[in-house]
């Protein structure tokens, strides 16, 4: 019997959480399905299975934005998607992130006969700020085009709740929490690092340099620490990198803040640092926190919508008072944008070895709940259910 055909639609395979999920899915699905990778941008940072089918539906360049003229090209992308799927008899399109989801919705309007599964990777109300024109347009497109999905797949309960408010309850939802190969991440963390000196106390952050990630908050909090021997290691690339470097220069931190760029294996750096910090304004369900847990180091994160609270402090139901930190079961949370609270808890991590040990062990236990090797893949379940017409 011939394999069912699946098209996976995403902006690119550049370094990022959603892109990593897609790269992993290519390997997971290829034995049971004929998988077509459909990209809007010619940018590939992750390995793919040998012989992977790849089609570029747009002429966007590397580093392209999701705003402006790229949004105006959505009808063209949607028409190309519809025609490609028709020519290749694609049974199901699985799209990731906003613009690919919009393109899939438009393609359904244009006559796409394939099933459409759309995965939302961020907390939509924050990604599309209603105070801006872009945000207002984005919200309209979400409420209109996401309704054409056969199933919507948010990656956290918080994002699902937001989508229900924006899109309604007339379609199926299935939350697919991110998973990682815990043992593989742990093993890759054991490899040697020869370009960073880990004899000092090091905070580490792995995040693309984008406004959402709010590296400036982390830099400002780090500047308040009294321990001048402490260093901050930043791993990643992106459009706000130069802005962050200028902030580091303005605060006189050039010798204490280390920029090492994008790394194929960030885990070997994370595992050797003393504490992981995520300063984001908003997230979906950040893989980097799971990977830090697998590397057995303590975590400080902003209590952003969504993901960190679900991972690190699932029992927390109330807001965190300004200027304070919440010590959750598996990590520490501070409010988004709270420089003072972040600086205080970073100082606490430096001085309290027992706290670091406790959270390193707690995180290693917690990440087992998200182990791809021991838990069923949620996307396989969604795909097979939609193709076979089964309910969830």
């Amino acid at each position: 019997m011939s394999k069912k055909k699946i098209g996976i639609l995403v902006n690119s395979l550049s370094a990022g959480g959603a892109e990593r999920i897609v790269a992993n899915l290519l390997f997971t699905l290829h034995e049971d399905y004929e998988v077509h990778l459909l990209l809007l941008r010619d940018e590939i940072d992750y390995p793919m299975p040998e012989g992977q089918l790849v089609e570029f539906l747009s002429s966007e360049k590397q580093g392209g934005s999701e705003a402006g003229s790229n949004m105006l090209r959505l009808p063209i992308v949607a028409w190309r998607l519809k025609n490609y799927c028709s020519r290749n008899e694609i049974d199901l399109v699985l799209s990731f992130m906003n613009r690919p989801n919009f393109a899939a919705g438009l393609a359904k309007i244009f006559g796409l006969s394939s099933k459409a599964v759309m995965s939302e990777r961020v907390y939509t109300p924050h990604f599309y700020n209603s105070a801006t024109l872009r945000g207002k347009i984005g919200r309209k497109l979400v409420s209109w085009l996401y309704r054409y999905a056969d199933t919507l797949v948010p990656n956290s309960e918080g994002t699902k709740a937001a989508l229900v408010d924006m899109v309604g309850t007339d379609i199926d939802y299935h939350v697919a929490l991110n998973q990682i190969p815990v043992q593989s991440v742990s093993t890759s963390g054991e490899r040697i690092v020869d370009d960073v000196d880990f004899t000092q106390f090091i905070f580490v952050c792995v995040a693309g340099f984008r406004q959402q990630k709010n590296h400036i908050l982390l830099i400002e909090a780090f500047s308040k620490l009294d321990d001048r021997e402490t260093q901050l290691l930043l791993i990643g690339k992106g459009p706000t990198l130069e802005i962050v470097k200028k902030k580091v220069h303005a605060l006189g931190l050039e010798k204490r803040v280390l920029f090492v760029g994008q790394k194929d294996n960030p885990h070997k750096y994370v595992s050797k640092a003393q504490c992981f910090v995520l300063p984001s304004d908003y997230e979906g369900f950040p893989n980097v926190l799971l990977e830090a847990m697998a590397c057995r180091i303590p975590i400080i994160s902003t209590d952003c919508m969504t993901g960190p609270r679900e991972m690190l402090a699932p029992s927390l139901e109330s807001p965190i008072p300004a200027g304070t930190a919440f010590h959750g079961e598996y990590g520490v949370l501070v409010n988004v944008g709270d420089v003072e609270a972040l600086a205080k808890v970073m100082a606490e991590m430096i001085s309290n070895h027992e706290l670091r040990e406790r959270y390193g062990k707690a995180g290693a236990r917690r990440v087992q709940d998200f182990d791809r090797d021991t838990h069923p893949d949620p996307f396989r379940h969604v795909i097979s259910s939609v193709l076979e017409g089964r309910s969830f």
Side-chain angles (χ1 to χ4, degrees):
M1 188 174 74
S2 60
K3 293 180 178 179
K4 292 283 189 180
K5 298 180 180 181
I6 296 173
I8 300 183
L9 177 63
V10 67
N11 290 316
S12 71
L13 276 193
S14 62
E19 293 84 355
R20 189 178 308 159
I21 294 294
V22 170
N24 290 338
L25 271 176
L26 296 177
F27 288 93
T28 300
L29 299 176
H30 83 281
E31 291 185 3
D32 297 321
Y33 301 98
E34 180 181 303
V35 181
H36 297 238
L37 178 62
L38 310 174
L39 301 178
L40 305 190
R41 197 164 64 241
D42 184 2
E43 192 171 2
I44 299 175
D45 291 337
Y46 292 110
M48 299 184 294
E50 184 177 353
Q52 176 63 56
L53 298 167
V54 181
E55 178 74 8
F56 298 100
L57 298 178
S58 178
S59 58
E60 297 170 18
K61 304 299 183 183
Q62 288 194 12
S65 168
E66 293 189 20
S69 62
N70 287 347
M71 292 295 285
L72 297 177
R73 287 197 290 268
L74 274 175
I76 298 173
V77 173
W79 187 255
R80 290 175 179 170
L81 173 63
K82 180 255 184 186
N83 288 338
Y84 182 89
C85 290
S86 177
R87 290 195 311 271
N88 292 277
E89 299 180 323
I90 301 296
D91 296 290
L92 180 146
V93 173
L94 171 58
S95 55
F96 287 79
M97 306 171 74
N98 301 86
R99 287 183 60 247
N101 290 344
F102 294 159
L106 274 176
K108 292 291 282 188
I109 293 173
F110 293 161
L112 175 69
S113 60
S114 312
K115 297 288 188 181
V117 175
M118 302 180 188
S119 181
E120 184 70 305
R121 313 304 301 175
V122 297
Y123 186 63
T124 318
H126 283 190
F127 187 76
Y128 287 119
N129 185 341
S130 60
T132 66
L133 177 61
R134 173 188 175 277
K136 290 176 182 176
I137 293 173
R139 288 181 178 223
K140 288 289 186 182
L141 291 175
V142 168
S143 63
W144 172 39
L145 295 175
Y146 280 28
R147 296 177 191 272
Y148 289 91
D150 291 275
T151 298
L152 272 177
V153 186
N155 63 351
S156 73
E157 292 292 344
T159 297
K160 175 186 174 181
L163 287 176
V164 169
D165 287 342
M166 298 176 72
V167 182
T169 58
D170 294 336
I171 59 176
D172 289 329
Y173 293 85
H174 185 81
V175 174
L177 301 179
N178 289 354
Q179 297 177 330
I180 65 166
V182 172
Q183 184 57 50
S184 175
V185 171
S186 178
T187 300
S188 65
E190 297 172 359
R191 295 176 184 167
I192 296 172
V193 173
D194 55 14
D195 58 341
V196 175
D197 179 6
F198 285 96
T199 59
Q200 299 185 71
F201 191 105
I202 291 184
F203 291 99
V204 63
C205 175
V206 182
F209 283 86
R210 302 189 298 275
Q211 188 172 359
Q212 162 201 352
K213 301 300 182 177
N214 202 349
H215 287 86
I216 298 299
L217 170 69
L218 178 53
I219 298 299
E220 290 179 344
F222 181 72
S223 72
K224 295 180 180 295
L225 299 180
D226 291 331
D227 189 338
R228 301 302 175 187
E229 300 301 315
T230 303
Q231 293 187 316
L232 172 62
L233 178 62
L234 301 179
I235 302 175
K237 64 179 182 179
T240 64
L241 175 59
E242 291 307 314
I243 295 173
V244 175
K245 285 185 175 181
K246 288 179 181 178
K247 184 68 172 180
V248 168
H249 177 74
L251 294 173
L253 297 173
E254 294 96 328
K255 294 183 179 180
R256 298 179 59 204
V257 179
L258 311 176
F259 295 88
V260 296
Q262 186 67 35
K263 296 295 183 182
D264 293 335
N265 177 13
H267 312 128
K268 65 181 182 180
Y269 295 86
V270 173
S271 67
K272 296 169 181 61
Q274 280 69 45
C275 183
F276 188 96
V277 187
L278 183 68
S280 298
D281 289 341
Y282 61 89
E283 286 286 349
F285 201 82
N287 281 328
V288 291
L289 294 189
L290 299 178
E291 291 166 355
M293 291 184 211
C295 291
R296 306 182 70 87
I297 73 166
I299 294 170
I300 304 168
S301 174
T302 50
D303 185 26
C304 60
M305 298 290 285
T306 61
R309 182 180 290 210
E310 293 178 44
M311 293 185 204
L312 304 178
S315 65
L316 178 60
E317 297 180 354
S318 57
I320 300 172
T324 68
F326 181 82
H327 291 68
E329 300 96 310
Y330 309 106
V332 185
L333 297 175
V334 298
N335 285 318
V336 170
D338 195 332
V339 175
E340 296 299 329
L342 180 55
K344 288 177 184 177
V345 76
M346 290 173 73
E348 183 183 15
M349 282 292 182
I350 294 172
S351 63
N352 193 332
H353 180 268
E354 182 180 346
L355 183 70
R356 298 197 305 272
E357 285 287 311
R358 175 160 61 86
Y359 275 127
K361 293 177 180 178
R365 293 194 303 272
R366 174 60 166 161
V367 77
Q368 300 303 320
D369 296 335
F370 308 97
D371 189 357
R372 194 179 73 197
D373 296 330
T374 58
H375 292 76
D377 185 282
F379 284 100
R380 289 182 67 90
H381 175 66
V382 171
I383 289 168
S384 62
S385 296
V386 172
L387 286 174
E388 297 169 16
R390 292 186 278 109
S391 61
F392 294 102

